[in-house]
Amino acid sequence: MKIILTHEVPNLGSAGDVVEVKPGYGRNYLLPQGLAIAWTKGGQKEVDAIQRARASRQIHDLDKARSVADKLKQTDAHIVARTGDGDRLFGSITAADIVKAVDEAGGPKIDRRRVELASTIKSVGTYDVSVKLHPEVTAKFKLQVTPAKRRKK
């Protein structure tokens, strides 16, 4: 089944790409979620126009992505979270929490869907977080997770 992606889908492609997927994946997941539309000849003309516009913006976006990556490297993101015994967190740190911490630290605005974690953050410590800003640019920075002060009973 040929489809046109309307959003970036990990391990498949970015918006405007025409990809071949198994019919069940396209029909049951990509189309209902609004991540893709069915491929047609008219849709192909639209895709060509989108790709031409994207190619003209690509160089400008690459420079901007590199400048945002430099700002992210200089950002000291810090999250204070509630912990239990052994410095294990109640719950885990999500991509949305990381974006909020970067924003509070005075870093650049980033999209939570671009944040890539090697594994879930469930304990106190320092973690390496990467953000895929552009297909050619991935920014990495340190995230510090510390325990919140416990109340005395």
Side-chain angles (χ1 to χ4, degrees):
M1 172 180 207
K2 260 186 165 179
I3 58 167
I4 302 168
L5 296 176
T6 57
H7 292 84
E8 184 172 335
V9 178
N11 301 325
L12 192 57
S14 60
D17 289 348
V18 177
V19 293
E20 185 79 29
V21 296
K22 293 195 175 191
Y25 182 52
R27 194 173 46 244
N28 297 328
Y29 178 70
L30 295 173
L31 294 175
Q33 295 290 326
L35 299 174
I37 55 173
W39 180 86
T40 60
K41 287 183 181 178
Q44 182 63 42
K45 290 179 185 175
E46 215 173 291
V47 167
D48 293 339
I50 290 170
Q51 287 179 342
R52 280 194 303 273
R54 187 189 308 157
S56 67
R57 286 192 316 259
Q58 193 82 12
I59 295 168
H60 174 43
D61 290 346
L62 181 60
D63 293 337
K64 183 172 180 173
R66 286 188 177 135
S67 69
V68 169
D70 290 338
K71 288 178 188 174
L72 265 177
K73 286 178 187 173
Q74 298 168 0
T75 302
D76 292 328
H78 185 83
I79 295 177
V80 177
R82 290 183 47 211
T83 59
D85 294 333
D87 287 337
R88 294 209 22 102
L89 301 179
F90 291 125
S92 63
I93 303 296
T94 63
D97 296 331
I98 294 170
V99 169
K100 184 178 174 188
V102 168
D103 191 38
E104 288 173 354
K109 300 266 188 230
I110 53 175
D111 185 10
R112 68 175 173 77
R113 294 177 293 243
R114 303 274 186 192
V115 175
E116 297 174 346
L117 297 171
S119 63
T120 57
I121 299 175
K122 293 188 174 190
S123 61
V124 173
T126 303
Y127 296 89
D128 290 322
V129 178
S130 60
V131 180
K132 188 167 185 163
L133 299 168
H134 186 272
E136 298 175 21
V137 179
T138 302
K140 294 187 180 195
F141 66 96
K142 298 275 188 199
L143 174 70
Q144 181 75 28
V145 180
T146 57
K149 293 184 180 180
R150 296 183 188 168
R151 290 188 295 156
K152 302 281 182 182
K153 290 184 180 181

